[in-house]
Amino acid sequence: MLPDTATNRGQMMVRLIRIASRGLLAAAFSGLLAGTLAQGVAAEEIVFKDQENREVRLAKAAERIVSIVIPMASTVIALDGSTSKLVGMNPTAKSAVTEGILGKIFPEAKDIPSDVTAPNFVPNVEALTATNPDLVIQWGGRGNDIVAPITNAGLTAMLILYGTEELTREYMTMASTALGKPERIGELVEWRDRVQKDIEAKAKAIPEDKRPNVLYVGRALSDITASGTKGNYNAWYIELVGGRNASAELNGTVAINKEQIAEWDPDVILLNAFEAKLDVDWVYNDAILSLTKAARSKRVYKMPLGGYRWDPPNQESPLSWMWAANLIQPDVFKYDVRGEMKTAYKTLYNYELSDADIDDILWTKQQGDAANYTQFKVE
Amino acid sequence: MAVVTQDGTAPVARHSHIARQTAVFAALLALFTVAFVVSLCVGRFSVPAGRALELIWLGIINPARELASIDERIVLLVRAPRVVLAALAGAGLAVAGAALQGVFRNPLVSPDILGISQGAAFGGALAIMLGIWGFPLIAMVFVFGMAALILVGMLSRINGRTETVTVILSGLVISSMFSAVVSLLQFVADPNTSLPAIVYWLMGSFATATWERTLIAAPGLILGAVLLWMLRFRLNILSLDEAEAQSLGANTTRERWLVFGLIAIIVGSQVAVSGIIGWIGIVIPHAARLLVGHDHRALLPASVVLGAGFMVIIDTLARTATAAEIPLGVITALVGAPIFAVLLRNHYRERTGS
Amino acid sequence: MIGLEDAIVRFGARTIIDGLSFSVPVGRTLAILGPNGRGKTTTLKAMLGFQLLDAGQRIAPEIVGYVPQTGTSNQRYRAIDIAVMGRAAHLGLFGQPGPNDFAIAHSALEKAGAVRFADHFFDRLSGGERQLVLLARALATGSEALVLDEPAAALDLHNQERLLTLLNALRAPRDKAIVFTTHDPNHALTAADDALLMMPNGQPPLFGPVAETITPDHLERLYGVPMRVVEIDGPSGETHRAVLPAFAGIRAA
């Protein structure tokens, strides 16, 4: 599933093509930003190119940011370490923030307006203008209709693209730059890089026949969706941690049926964190899915919901990779996920995560008896 | 008056007519049976055809049997309800279309044109937004489908008269209105949960078919189709001009609404479990007319069999052609629109020719 | 018995029918005569119950055998299937015609002289042939009343003659009340017992036996054209009356 994004396949294809064509650019993101910044701009002025290659010019560090993009709301909070710079967000992001752990860490987040946009990213210009934002973060690659209302109102928009780790690091860096805290992103990117390299090194030795087929179910309750590998973030980290994308033959995110899942017969099933009513019983109570290898070996897991849902790229992604690594390759990876979470939450939100918080995030109550899940219990 | 044929040829003509109808129905039933059985034997999960047939047989002789193995469950719990639901929905939509075209005396109307589908979709979308599932959802689908129809009826009644063209235009108006409200619901829907469910709804699919869903839809589909079939001679009367139908003893207004109500039950039941499926209600009755003629006594059963077979074939393509489910609406439009174009040309060519 | 009693029909401010009374008992045939626009069609509709009356009463059996000028032809039914539709009122909402109904329809086609195209498609028949099928359907209703809307309007002289013969054949058993509308007073003279003349300028319509109503004076007022009635000897010695319009101002003596 593409989080909080396209239900429209056409739009998605367009975006995938754009992402592919931007791959090279993205690889050199840090250099590009450094170059732009070095061009002798006025003392406080911040100028950079966004992922639609538009110039974003801020007179000074942004103090009032609206994120129409759903996961960026929590990312802005993490980058700033507070909610004070976030003055507006998507209603869907707000529900994730207030219902998840961020609502506990930052109770004042419930007062941030969410009427600035419809859930489908069409801005409400009047409500948006009323928040008097310095910067509005909006999706790129989805046409000008959702961007023009922002720029026409004289507001500054920063457009970002969805999909890969490279793009994620790039837009997180941009947001950090816009906040006037370029140093802040350094440690976050460094963390991502370190964890990624560590996983890559350990996974390299895993022989092909030891890599389990992992199915990430993007949507389950209305129809069932799964994704191909190209440009898909879930498939990317499944392969990163030594798994194989069970639905690799698909193109993009599409509807599938249970018969197809039975045919793939995945070794591991990951359920999305987006559908609140979805839990592992959806698999175990199903006549067909309960007969898959994953169900019979109790390797069905719902993605955790931390500062944001762990399925899509966000500020907590390395935790998501380590969690997945321990479950997909339990013999290879032995990360102390609970310890890593405590450290990360301290860094990201300056928050001391309690054991009960971690249990909630990892759904240990709901899926504690799943295979290899005892490792996540308090010792 | 011109003598068209010699006396005495009539009985021969009648016999050849009956023989032809019998042959057509036999062919249609054979086509449907083959489509139905083949459909149970194919799917993304490979079950050998012989094994699938054996499983179906076992399922028929002992429905309460414990299903332990995956192939049994695939055939009897995934494919069977899906194929049965597709057949019922196809039959229902086709017979509803045939009846509707009869009472409107216009071969171009279909439940989508009358706003029933859009109204029903709105009911469904609203129910999803409100978190309503199961029977209450079906009730909402039905109520709004019917409401759309009633609005069309009221809007098109001018000075106590209802003209076909005003009904179709009113249908367009009401349809657009309901699709606008559905768009509004999509606009405010949560893109993670209710929006995909609504979009899924609008695209139409049998992918989530279970015996439970099939049993939810079946009573409405079967009741509607059977009652329409019982009205088959009356539909012949209602397909005449208003004055003629009345002179033959039909209470045209009341009986037309009875037909509309039955159509709303069929479409509501179908939309409730499998979303909006276009084209069937217009293409199948046309094809059936070419095969068995306009007489509703033959047209309705032919539409039922042809609609069921066609829907089963289309859905089998949708679920087996690729690993992904192809949206039904895409296939019905791709197959239906060209067929319809050809039928339409033939229809008018014949008419201007005679 | 079919007819109207003090019937009034208004379209907006215009009164189309004003206090019209007439009745046709079983065994008699009425011709409604008049040029277009005098309410012939409205009178017919009122009799059939398709036109609501603003005042007055309609006298009619529950089902009236109605023969429209042109039948519905956008549906392709066989002539026998059209004829059997006449049985609808006897079959009810969910009823289906059985062998007995088809037998009735078949004999109605025979009576109407349409049996030879019983298995032909209605929409492929000529206008005159269609009319015979529609007549058969009206007969198949079994109604004691038969109403024909301009049955001769679209027919050439030869077919007019056949139609009038047919109407007389239907009249002969004296078991039906028959009403037809026509432009031509000769049709009334040939096939009707009574005539209803739709007079101009709000004058009350004239209703009465053909012999009293079809007179040169009445017809001249009716059509605004001088008329004369001539007597012609029939083949078997009987006397026929015929109406001749005196076009171009030639007033016959």
Side-chain angles (χ1 to χ4, degrees), chain A residues 92-140:
Chain A
T92 309
K94 185 157 176 179
S95 64
V97 167
T98 52
E99 287 160 20
I101 183 82
L102 283 190
K104 189 174 169 193
I105 305 174
F106 304 106
E108 68 278 13
K110 70 176 192 313
D111 299 323
I112 301 173
S114 62
D115 57 349
V116 293
T117 176
N120 65 357
F121 316 112
V122 176
N124 178 332
V125 177
E126 304 215 354
L128 184 61
T129 314
T131 64
N132 191 24
D134 304 327
L135 183 68
V136 180
I137 303 174
Q138 175 63 294
W139 285 119

Short mmCIF file of all heavy atoms in Angstrom, two decimals, chain A residues 92-140:
data_model
loop_
_atom_site.label_atom_id
_atom_site.label_comp_id
_atom_site.label_asym_id
_atom_site.label_seq_id
_atom_site.Cartn_x
_atom_site.Cartn_y
_atom_site.Cartn_z
N THR A 92 -6.12 13.29 8.19
CA THR A 92 -5.72 11.90 8.37
C THR A 92 -4.43 11.80 9.19
O THR A 92 -4.24 10.89 9.98
CB THR A 92 -5.54 11.23 7.01
OG1 THR A 92 -6.70 11.47 6.24
CG2 THR A 92 -5.33 9.74 7.14
N ALA A 93 -3.53 12.78 8.99
CA ALA A 93 -2.31 12.81 9.78
C ALA A 93 -2.65 13.11 11.23
O ALA A 93 -2.09 12.53 12.16
CB ALA A 93 -1.37 13.88 9.24
N LYS A 94 -3.62 13.99 11.41
CA LYS A 94 -3.98 14.37 12.77
C LYS A 94 -4.53 13.17 13.54
O LYS A 94 -4.20 12.98 14.72
CB LYS A 94 -5.02 15.49 12.74
CG LYS A 94 -5.32 16.01 14.13
CD LYS A 94 -5.86 17.39 14.10
CE LYS A 94 -6.24 17.84 15.50
NZ LYS A 94 -6.75 19.21 15.49
N SER A 95 -5.33 12.37 12.86
CA SER A 95 -5.86 11.20 13.56
C SER A 95 -4.71 10.26 13.94
O SER A 95 -4.70 9.69 15.03
CB SER A 95 -6.93 10.49 12.72
OG SER A 95 -6.37 9.98 11.54
N ALA A 96 -3.71 10.12 13.05
CA ALA A 96 -2.58 9.26 13.36
C ALA A 96 -1.78 9.83 14.54
O ALA A 96 -1.34 9.10 15.42
CB ALA A 96 -1.68 9.10 12.15
N VAL A 97 -1.63 11.14 14.54
CA VAL A 97 -0.84 11.78 15.61
C VAL A 97 -1.56 11.69 16.94
O VAL A 97 -1.00 11.26 17.95
CB VAL A 97 -0.56 13.26 15.24
CG1 VAL A 97 -0.04 14.02 16.46
CG2 VAL A 97 0.43 13.35 14.09
N THR A 98 -2.84 12.06 16.94
CA THR A 98 -3.53 12.13 18.23
C THR A 98 -3.84 10.74 18.78
O THR A 98 -3.89 10.55 19.99
CB THR A 98 -4.84 12.93 18.11
OG1 THR A 98 -5.60 12.39 17.03
CG2 THR A 98 -4.57 14.39 17.84
N GLU A 99 -4.04 9.75 17.88
CA GLU A 99 -4.36 8.41 18.38
C GLU A 99 -3.11 7.62 18.71
O GLU A 99 -3.15 6.65 19.46
CB GLU A 99 -5.20 7.66 17.33
CG GLU A 99 -6.62 8.19 17.25
CD GLU A 99 -7.31 7.81 15.94
OE1 GLU A 99 -6.86 6.86 15.29
OE2 GLU A 99 -8.28 8.50 15.59
N GLY A 100 -1.96 7.97 18.12
CA GLY A 100 -0.73 7.23 18.36
C GLY A 100 0.06 7.82 19.51
O GLY A 100 -0.44 8.64 20.30
N ILE A 101 1.28 7.40 19.58
CA ILE A 101 2.15 7.77 20.69
C ILE A 101 2.45 9.28 20.69
O ILE A 101 2.64 9.88 21.74
CB ILE A 101 3.46 6.94 20.63
CG1 ILE A 101 4.37 7.24 21.81
CG2 ILE A 101 4.22 7.19 19.34
CD1 ILE A 101 4.00 6.50 23.05
N LEU A 102 2.45 9.91 19.48
CA LEU A 102 2.76 11.35 19.43
C LEU A 102 1.73 12.15 20.21
O LEU A 102 2.04 13.19 20.77
CB LEU A 102 2.83 11.84 17.98
CG LEU A 102 4.10 11.51 17.19
CD1 LEU A 102 4.10 12.28 15.88
CD2 LEU A 102 5.34 11.82 17.98
N GLY A 103 0.50 11.67 20.22
CA GLY A 103 -0.55 12.35 20.97
C GLY A 103 -0.23 12.36 22.45
O GLY A 103 -0.61 13.28 23.18
N LYS A 104 0.46 11.32 22.90
CA LYS A 104 0.84 11.23 24.31
C LYS A 104 2.07 12.10 24.59
O LYS A 104 2.13 12.79 25.60
CB LYS A 104 1.14 9.76 24.62
CG LYS A 104 1.33 9.49 26.10
CD LYS A 104 1.48 7.98 26.34
CE LYS A 104 1.94 7.73 27.76
NZ LYS A 104 2.37 6.34 27.93
N ILE A 105 3.02 12.06 23.61
CA ILE A 105 4.24 12.85 23.80
C ILE A 105 3.95 14.34 23.68
O ILE A 105 4.46 15.15 24.43
CB ILE A 105 5.31 12.44 22.76
CG1 ILE A 105 5.57 10.92 22.83
CG2 ILE A 105 6.61 13.21 22.97
CD1 ILE A 105 6.50 10.40 21.76
N PHE A 106 3.11 14.66 22.68
CA PHE A 106 2.79 16.07 22.44
C PHE A 106 1.28 16.28 22.51
O PHE A 106 0.61 16.40 21.49
CB PHE A 106 3.30 16.51 21.06
CG PHE A 106 4.77 16.28 20.85
CD1 PHE A 106 5.21 15.25 20.03
CD2 PHE A 106 5.71 17.09 21.46
CE1 PHE A 106 6.57 15.04 19.82
CE2 PHE A 106 7.07 16.89 21.25
CZ PHE A 106 7.51 15.86 20.44
N PRO A 107 0.72 16.32 23.71
CA PRO A 107 -0.75 16.42 23.82
C PRO A 107 -1.30 17.68 23.15
O PRO A 107 -2.45 17.71 22.72
CB PRO A 107 -1.01 16.43 25.33
CG PRO A 107 0.33 16.58 26.00
CD PRO A 107 1.38 16.23 25.01
N GLU A 108 -0.45 18.72 23.05
CA GLU A 108 -0.94 19.96 22.43
C GLU A 108 -1.19 19.80 20.92
O GLU A 108 -1.80 20.66 20.28
CB GLU A 108 0.05 21.10 22.68
CG GLU A 108 1.41 20.97 21.97
CD GLU A 108 2.40 20.06 22.71
OE1 GLU A 108 1.97 19.33 23.63
OE2 GLU A 108 3.59 20.04 22.34
N ALA A 109 -0.72 18.68 20.33
CA ALA A 109 -0.91 18.47 18.89
C ALA A 109 -2.38 18.44 18.50
O ALA A 109 -2.73 18.74 17.37
CB ALA A 109 -0.22 17.17 18.46
N LYS A 110 -3.24 18.11 19.47
CA LYS A 110 -4.67 18.03 19.14
C LYS A 110 -5.26 19.39 18.78
O LYS A 110 -6.32 19.48 18.18
CB LYS A 110 -5.45 17.37 20.28
CG LYS A 110 -5.57 18.22 21.53
CD LYS A 110 -6.46 17.50 22.54
CE LYS A 110 -6.88 18.39 23.71
NZ LYS A 110 -5.79 19.17 24.34
N ASP A 111 -4.55 20.46 19.14
CA ASP A 111 -5.06 21.80 18.83
C ASP A 111 -4.58 22.33 17.48
O ASP A 111 -4.95 23.42 17.06
CB ASP A 111 -4.62 22.79 19.93
CG ASP A 111 -5.20 22.38 21.28
OD1 ASP A 111 -6.35 21.90 21.28
OD2 ASP A 111 -4.50 22.51 22.31
N ILE A 112 -3.70 21.56 16.81
CA ILE A 112 -3.23 22.02 15.50
C ILE A 112 -4.35 21.86 14.48
O ILE A 112 -4.96 20.80 14.39
CB ILE A 112 -1.98 21.22 15.07
CG1 ILE A 112 -0.88 21.38 16.11
CG2 ILE A 112 -1.51 21.65 13.68
CD1 ILE A 112 0.32 20.48 15.87
N PRO A 113 -4.63 22.92 13.72
CA PRO A 113 -5.75 22.83 12.77
C PRO A 113 -5.53 21.75 11.70
O PRO A 113 -4.40 21.53 11.26
CB PRO A 113 -5.78 24.22 12.10
CG PRO A 113 -4.89 25.08 12.89
CD PRO A 113 -3.97 24.22 13.68
N SER A 114 -6.63 21.10 11.33
CA SER A 114 -6.55 20.10 10.26
C SER A 114 -7.55 20.41 9.16
O SER A 114 -7.85 19.57 8.32
CB SER A 114 -6.79 18.70 10.80
OG SER A 114 -8.10 18.62 11.33
N ASP A 115 -8.07 21.65 9.19
CA ASP A 115 -9.04 22.03 8.14
C ASP A 115 -8.34 22.66 6.95
O ASP A 115 -8.99 23.18 6.05
CB ASP A 115 -10.09 22.99 8.71
CG ASP A 115 -9.48 24.24 9.30
OD1 ASP A 115 -8.23 24.28 9.46
OD2 ASP A 115 -10.22 25.19 9.60
N VAL A 116 -7.00 22.63 6.94
CA VAL A 116 -6.26 23.30 5.87
C VAL A 116 -6.34 22.53 4.55
O VAL A 116 -6.06 23.06 3.49
CB VAL A 116 -4.78 23.47 6.25
CG1 VAL A 116 -4.65 24.45 7.41
CG2 VAL A 116 -4.15 22.14 6.63
N THR A 117 -6.72 21.27 4.63
CA THR A 117 -6.79 20.47 3.41
C THR A 117 -7.85 19.39 3.58
O THR A 117 -8.19 19.01 4.70
CB THR A 117 -5.44 19.81 3.11
OG1 THR A 117 -5.58 18.97 1.96
CG2 THR A 117 -4.95 18.97 4.28
N ALA A 118 -8.36 18.92 2.44
CA ALA A 118 -9.19 17.73 2.47
C ALA A 118 -8.24 16.53 2.55
O ALA A 118 -7.07 16.65 2.21
CB ALA A 118 -10.03 17.65 1.20
N PRO A 119 -8.75 15.39 3.01
CA PRO A 119 -7.87 14.23 3.09
C PRO A 119 -7.19 13.91 1.76
O PRO A 119 -6.10 13.36 1.73
CB PRO A 119 -8.82 13.10 3.50
CG PRO A 119 -9.94 13.77 4.18
CD PRO A 119 -10.10 15.10 3.51
N ASN A 120 -7.84 14.28 0.64
CA ASN A 120 -7.26 13.96 -0.66
C ASN A 120 -6.27 15.00 -1.17
O ASN A 120 -5.99 15.09 -2.34
CB ASN A 120 -8.36 13.74 -1.69
CG ASN A 120 -9.15 15.00 -1.96
OD1 ASN A 120 -8.92 16.03 -1.33
ND2 ASN A 120 -10.08 14.93 -2.89
N PHE A 121 -5.76 15.82 -0.27
CA PHE A 121 -4.67 16.77 -0.55
C PHE A 121 -5.09 18.01 -1.32
O PHE A 121 -4.24 18.77 -1.77
CB PHE A 121 -3.50 16.07 -1.28
CG PHE A 121 -3.17 14.73 -0.70
CD1 PHE A 121 -3.41 13.56 -1.40
CD2 PHE A 121 -2.67 14.64 0.60
CE1 PHE A 121 -3.14 12.32 -0.84
CE2 PHE A 121 -2.39 13.41 1.17
CZ PHE A 121 -2.62 12.25 0.45
N VAL A 122 -6.40 18.21 -1.50
CA VAL A 122 -6.84 19.46 -2.12
C VAL A 122 -6.92 20.50 -1.01
O VAL A 122 -7.68 20.36 -0.07
CB VAL A 122 -8.21 19.29 -2.80
CG1 VAL A 122 -8.70 20.63 -3.35
CG2 VAL A 122 -8.14 18.25 -3.89
N PRO A 123 -6.08 21.54 -1.12
CA PRO A 123 -6.02 22.50 -0.01
C PRO A 123 -7.29 23.34 0.10
O PRO A 123 -7.93 23.62 -0.90
CB PRO A 123 -4.83 23.40 -0.36
CG PRO A 123 -4.33 22.97 -1.68
CD PRO A 123 -5.18 21.87 -2.21
N ASN A 124 -7.62 23.70 1.32
CA ASN A 124 -8.67 24.70 1.56
C ASN A 124 -7.94 26.02 1.73
O ASN A 124 -7.37 26.30 2.79
CB ASN A 124 -9.45 24.33 2.81
CG ASN A 124 -10.53 25.36 3.12
OD1 ASN A 124 -10.41 26.54 2.79
ND2 ASN A 124 -11.58 24.91 3.76
N VAL A 125 -7.96 26.84 0.66
CA VAL A 125 -7.08 27.99 0.62
C VAL A 125 -7.33 28.96 1.77
O VAL A 125 -6.41 29.47 2.39
CB VAL A 125 -7.19 28.71 -0.74
CG1 VAL A 125 -6.33 29.95 -0.73
CG2 VAL A 125 -6.76 27.78 -1.84
N GLU A 126 -8.60 29.18 2.10
CA GLU A 126 -8.90 30.17 3.14
C GLU A 126 -8.39 29.70 4.50
O GLU A 126 -7.74 30.45 5.23
CB GLU A 126 -10.40 30.42 3.20
CG GLU A 126 -10.93 30.86 1.84
CD GLU A 126 -12.06 31.86 1.95
OE1 GLU A 126 -12.51 32.12 3.07
OE2 GLU A 126 -12.47 32.37 0.89
N ALA A 127 -8.68 28.42 4.81
CA ALA A 127 -8.22 27.90 6.09
C ALA A 127 -6.69 27.86 6.12
O ALA A 127 -6.05 28.13 7.15
CB ALA A 127 -8.78 26.51 6.33
N LEU A 128 -6.13 27.54 4.95
CA LEU A 128 -4.67 27.46 4.85
C LEU A 128 -4.06 28.83 5.09
O LEU A 128 -3.12 28.99 5.87
CB LEU A 128 -4.31 26.93 3.45
CG LEU A 128 -2.85 26.67 3.14
CD1 LEU A 128 -2.29 25.61 4.08
CD2 LEU A 128 -2.70 26.21 1.69
N THR A 129 -4.60 29.85 4.41
CA THR A 129 -4.07 31.21 4.55
C THR A 129 -4.23 31.70 5.98
O THR A 129 -3.37 32.40 6.52
CB THR A 129 -4.80 32.16 3.58
OG1 THR A 129 -4.86 31.53 2.30
CG2 THR A 129 -4.07 33.47 3.44
N ALA A 130 -5.32 31.29 6.62
CA ALA A 130 -5.59 31.74 7.98
C ALA A 130 -4.51 31.27 8.96
O ALA A 130 -4.29 31.92 9.99
CB ALA A 130 -6.96 31.24 8.44
N THR A 131 -3.84 30.18 8.64
CA THR A 131 -2.79 29.71 9.55
C THR A 131 -1.50 30.50 9.35
O THR A 131 -0.54 30.30 10.08
CB THR A 131 -2.49 28.22 9.33
OG1 THR A 131 -1.96 28.04 8.00
CG2 THR A 131 -3.72 27.35 9.50
N ASN A 132 -1.48 31.35 8.32
CA ASN A 132 -0.34 32.21 8.02
C ASN A 132 0.98 31.44 7.95
O ASN A 132 1.92 31.73 8.67
CB ASN A 132 -0.26 33.32 9.08
CG ASN A 132 0.73 34.39 8.68
OD1 ASN A 132 1.01 34.55 7.48
ND2 ASN A 132 1.30 35.08 9.66
N PRO A 133 1.04 30.44 7.05
CA PRO A 133 2.24 29.59 7.04
C PRO A 133 3.39 30.22 6.25
O PRO A 133 3.18 30.96 5.29
CB PRO A 133 1.74 28.33 6.32
CG PRO A 133 0.67 28.83 5.41
CD PRO A 133 0.05 30.04 6.05
N ASP A 134 4.63 29.93 6.70
CA ASP A 134 5.81 30.32 5.93
C ASP A 134 6.05 29.32 4.81
O ASP A 134 6.61 29.64 3.77
CB ASP A 134 7.07 30.31 6.81
CG ASP A 134 6.90 31.18 8.03
OD1 ASP A 134 6.20 32.21 7.91
OD2 ASP A 134 7.45 30.83 9.09
N LEU A 135 5.66 28.06 5.07
CA LEU A 135 5.96 27.00 4.12
C LEU A 135 4.84 25.96 4.16
O LEU A 135 4.36 25.60 5.22
CB LEU A 135 7.29 26.31 4.50
CG LEU A 135 7.77 25.22 3.54
CD1 LEU A 135 8.16 25.81 2.20
CD2 LEU A 135 8.93 24.45 4.14
N VAL A 136 4.44 25.54 2.96
CA VAL A 136 3.41 24.50 2.85
C VAL A 136 4.03 23.30 2.14
O VAL A 136 4.55 23.43 1.03
CB VAL A 136 2.18 25.00 2.05
CG1 VAL A 136 1.12 23.91 1.96
CG2 VAL A 136 1.60 26.26 2.69
N ILE A 137 4.00 22.14 2.79
CA ILE A 137 4.57 20.94 2.17
C ILE A 137 3.45 20.19 1.46
O ILE A 137 2.42 19.86 2.06
CB ILE A 137 5.24 20.04 3.23
CG1 ILE A 137 6.33 20.85 3.98
CG2 ILE A 137 5.85 18.80 2.57
CD1 ILE A 137 6.96 20.11 5.14
N GLN A 138 3.66 19.97 0.18
CA GLN A 138 2.62 19.35 -0.64
C GLN A 138 3.25 18.25 -1.51
O GLN A 138 4.47 18.28 -1.75
CB GLN A 138 1.96 20.43 -1.52
CG GLN A 138 0.93 19.94 -2.52
CD GLN A 138 -0.30 19.30 -1.90
OE1 GLN A 138 -0.20 18.25 -1.27
NE2 GLN A 138 -1.46 19.91 -2.05
N TRP A 139 2.43 17.29 -1.94
CA TRP A 139 2.93 16.25 -2.83
C TRP A 139 3.26 16.82 -4.20
O TRP A 139 2.50 17.59 -4.76
CB TRP A 139 1.89 15.15 -3.03
CG TRP A 139 1.73 14.21 -1.88
CD1 TRP A 139 0.59 14.01 -1.17
CD2 TRP A 139 2.71 13.34 -1.32
NE1 TRP A 139 0.81 13.07 -0.19
CE2 TRP A 139 2.11 12.65 -0.26
CE3 TRP A 139 4.07 13.10 -1.59
CZ2 TRP A 139 2.80 11.72 0.53
CZ3 TRP A 139 4.75 12.18 -0.82
CH2 TRP A 139 4.13 11.50 0.23
N GLY A 140 4.39 16.40 -4.76
CA GLY A 140 4.70 16.67 -6.15
C GLY A 140 4.24 15.49 -6.98
O GLY A 140 3.81 14.47 -6.46
#
